Amino acid sequence: STINNSISDKKMHYSVDDLYKIFTSEKIDKKYNYAISTLFKEVSYEDVVKYCKLYGIKKNAIKRVYEYYLNQFNAKAIKEYEWLFEEL
């Protein structure tokens, strides 16, 4: 809801399916760039983790989207997500 709340035009809102596709599609569609940017800038880390647990989204999928965010937006690392790059 944080993502859609930041978009005033309701026709531009993302669906639950869109959010799921961001994490599960092999290739990330640029139409999701705003959602991805908002996801890592405004949505709490805890909420992202809860969503991923609820929908069975694996660590590698989160890592892929986070890497996309870092590269696409030339963004600074976010401490809470850096564990994704650690070997377990």
Side-chain angles (χ1 to χ4, degrees):
S1 71
T2 300
I3 295 168
N4 283 335
N5 286 341
S6 67
I7 302 171
S8 59
D9 184 351
K10 291 192 185 293
K11 292 180 277 183
M12 300 294 290
H13 281 192
Y14 295 97
S15 69
V16 174
D17 287 339
D18 288 328
L19 189 55
Y20 187 75
K21 284 178 192 172
I22 289 169
F23 286 103
T24 58
S25 297
E26 285 296 315
K27 187 171 182 333
I28 298 172
D29 192 318
K30 287 191 181 270
K31 73 179 183 179
Y32 298 128
N33 277 2
Y34 183 80
I36 292 168
S37 174
T38 304
L39 184 70
F40 290 105
K41 288 181 179 178
E42 297 181 31
V43 179
S44 75
Y45 169 78
E46 291 79 13
D47 285 345
V48 173
V49 170
K50 284 179 194 173
Y51 173 85
C52 291
K53 285 182 179 179
L54 181 66
Y55 287 95
I57 295 169
K58 304 285 186 207
K59 173 186 172 185
N60 286 341
I62 304 168
K63 179 181 177 183
R64 185 176 50 77
V65 176
Y66 178 61
E67 281 182 305
Y68 178 88
Y69 166 74
L70 291 174
N71 294 324
Q72 187 69 29
F73 301 98
N74 197 25
K76 293 182 180 179
I78 302 169
K79 182 181 163 201
E80 291 87 354
Y81 291 95
E82 288 300 303
W83 68 272
L84 294 167
F85 298 104
E86 295 174 3
E87 292 292 325
L88 298 176

